[in-house]
Amino acid sequence: MTSPDYLFVLLGAGALGAAVLPRVVARRPLSLPLVFLVCGVALQALPLPMPVIDPVSDRTWVEHVTEICVIVSLMGAGLALNRPFGRRRWQGTWRQLGVTLPLTIAAVGLLAWGLLDWPPAAALLLAAVLAPTDPVLASEVRVGAPTDSEHDEDEVRFTLTGEAGLNDGLAFPFVLAAVALAAAGGRPTGGGIARWALVDVLYKCAVGVSAGLAVGALLGWLFFRAGWRVMRLSEHREGFVAIGATFLAYGVTELLHGYGFVAVFVTACRIRAAERAHGYHVVLHDFVEQVERLLTAALLFLLGVFVAQGGLASLTWQGAVVGLLLLVAVRPLTAWAAQLGTSAGPRERVVIAFFGVRGIGSLFYLAHALGSTGFGVPAERLWAVVTFTVLASVVLHGMSATPVISRLDRLRTHRARASGAGPEPGGDEVAGERL
């Protein structure tokens, strides 16, 4: 039994570590999630009273804690993006959503069905759960704090951040399809497919976008244009308002049976568009980033404890192969093909394709889905494959993000100088270089 006093020690040390470690690992081939993952494994190996982590029996709290972490990170991603919505401006992100996401689901589903010999519902569930990307676990590959320029985001960071902001919500229809398929005994019917297309895809996506736009417009007015100065929150510079906006957008949309993940990201983008150059966006973003860092550190620490306690005991070599193929073959090939014809240069396409980080979103989706009908595969095996894939992604992408992105940044700066931008080119000039 873990005493409450010991838990306070862990929470305090973890919070301080989340504040200090980003600067310690900066410019090194490490990431904060990787450090906390290793800490969780290491502490479990010591004779200390660690809590027992069982996502199968404790599915409900796992679902809700990961849910909060995801929606907070979605708000942060939307507030950070400087580039306005647009068909051409967001071309790389649209390709990732419209091409890479469905192709990844199809490929992983076939691998799970053929290599693992899982029933169709379980194979589809695994594919849908592992589909969303999560750059929060490799902060170097996402955009930084908001600025007043629409052109200082390089194509790699912008595309990956925009993709992560939207595909967390767009994977939901496929998770629900797997749940419906399991409930139907693995035999889809015409009526079931029609309902899925009309309700789970069209209606819920439309509600998510519409609610996000409406809540974002209301909050944008409240923050920046409210006639009563007391209500104009941008003048009070309180960052926790971003958490209120997150929960409000998510809760309203879920009450309307829409996709709250989509709504939160759209709300953040709409708030940003209300007064794009206002400094209050930095206050909101910084507060959200701090909360997100705390939640991510705690979850990755607990994931490390879970792994050390035998969380991968049900993993087979076939399951490990599926996870590795997703990271080193399926995602890179589908994303590279999707980026052909976009404004990204050849090197940038390779980097965008490689950094398909899997993380907290996958843990949420699995916990959420396992609250429904059985899938013909033990929950422990599903957790083992998903946990292994997230673990491999944290290690692979966490160690490679800093050197790869730093190399691209140096090349862009060199190109900008060579093109006549001077010895100290501006952010817009550097970001505009295509590699």
Side-chain angles (χ1 to χ4, degrees):
M1 176 69 72
T2 304
S3 72
D5 294 337
Y6 183 64
L7 287 177
F8 280 123
V9 172
L10 288 178
L11 290 171
L16 291 173
V20 173
L21 284 173
R23 284 170 283 279
V24 174
V25 303
R27 317 306 295 177
R28 292 180 173 86
L30 292 171
S31 66
L32 183 67
L34 179 57
V35 172
F36 274 96
L37 189 67
V38 172
C39 286
V41 174
L43 283 179
Q44 177 60 35
L46 298 176
L48 297 173
M50 298 301 294
V52 176
I53 309 298
D54 185 359
V56 177
S57 61
D58 298 324
R59 183 199 64 80
T60 301
W61 77 257
V62 172
E63 176 184 355
H64 292 308
V65 173
T66 53
E67 181 180 30
I68 293 172
C69 186
V70 170
I71 61 175
V72 169
S73 68
L74 291 175
M75 176 59 68
L79 290 172
L81 290 173
N82 300 324
R83 198 180 303 184
F85 267 119
R87 184 177 64 85
R88 295 187 62 83
R89 293 190 187 101
W90 286 51
Q91 185 182 39
T93 295
W94 303 142
R95 293 283 192 91
Q96 293 296 91
L97 300 173
V99 178
T100 304
L101 181 66
L103 287 181
T104 298
I105 291 174
V108 175
L110 289 173
L111 285 172
W113 180 56
L115 193 57
L116 298 177
D117 196 28
W118 284 4
L124 178 57
L125 176 63
L126 181 68
V129 162
L130 292 177
T133 57
D134 191 0
V136 67
L137 296 188
S139 59
E140 292 83 356
V141 302
R142 60 176 181 171
V143 300
T147 67
D148 58 2
S149 173
E150 298 178 4
H151 309 290
D152 64 350
E153 297 164 334
D154 64 81
E155 200 62 29
V156 171
R157 289 184 174 94
F158 176 81
T159 298
L160 289 172
T161 305
E163 176 192 9
L166 285 169
N167 72 5
D168 264 321
L170 296 182
F172 234 127
F174 300 97
V175 174
L176 296 179
V179 171
L181 187 60
R187 298 178 179 83
T189 62
I193 295 174
R195 184 192 181 283
W196 175 78
L198 291 174
V199 177
D200 294 338
V201 178
L202 295 178
Y203 173 78
K204 293 188 176 184
C205 285
V207 170
V209 172
S210 301
L213 289 172
V215 174
L218 174 62
L219 293 177
W221 172 82
L222 185 64
F223 290 175
F224 305 109
R225 298 189 179 89
W228 193 12
R229 188 173 181 180
V230 174
M231 297 295 293
R232 203 179 307 147
L233 297 178
S234 61
E235 298 191 9
H236 304 287
R237 317 289 288 183
E238 294 170 328
F240 69 86
V241 171
I243 301 300
T246 302
F247 291 161
L248 178 64
Y250 187 74
V252 167
T253 308
E254 291 292 318
L255 286 174
L256 297 173
H257 304 291
Y259 291 132
F261 285 0
V262 173
V264 170
F265 182 74
V266 173
T267 294
C269 292
R270 186 66 184 84
I271 291 173
R272 189 69 201 281
E275 193 71 39
R276 193 164 294 280
H278 201 287
Y280 188 47
H281 295 299
V282 177
V283 177
L284 296 173
H285 174 268
D286 287 351
F287 186 87
V288 168
E289 187 178 43
Q290 291 170 7
V291 175
E292 174 191 312
R293 192 189 305 167
L294 283 171
L295 291 171
T296 303
L299 287 171
L300 267 294
F301 175 82
L302 293 175
L303 187 66
V305 173
F306 171 62
V307 170
Q309 289 176 349
L312 300 182
S314 299
L315 181 69
T316 63
W317 69 265
Q318 295 96 331
V321 167
V322 170
L324 291 175
L325 284 176
L326 166 64
L327 298 178
V328 303
V330 173
R331 158 67 190 206
L333 289 175
T334 56
W336 181 84
Q339 290 299 308
L340 291 174
T342 66
S343 59
R347 290 189 184 92
E348 292 172 318
R349 287 199 296 271
V350 171
V351 175
I352 291 170
F354 176 72
F355 282 102
V357 185
R358 266 56 189 178
I360 305 302
S362 296
L363 304 180
F364 163 76
Y365 276 125
L366 183 58
H368 176 80
L370 291 179
S372 304
T373 309
F375 291 88
V377 173
E380 291 80 5
R381 290 188 64 188
L382 281 161
W383 273 109
V385 176
V386 173
T387 300
F388 172 80
T389 306
V390 172
L391 187 69
S393 179
V394 170
V395 174
L396 175 65
H397 298 123
M399 295 184 67
S400 59
T402 295
V404 170
I405 298 300
S406 296
R407 171 66 175 166
L408 284 184
D409 288 342
R410 287 194 299 270
L411 286 174
R412 287 195 191 92
T413 302
H414 177 74
R415 288 270 186 94
R417 289 170 178 164
S419 62
E424 295 296 333
D428 292 12
E429 295 165 318
V430 172
E433 295 292 335
R434 293 291 173 258
L435 302 176

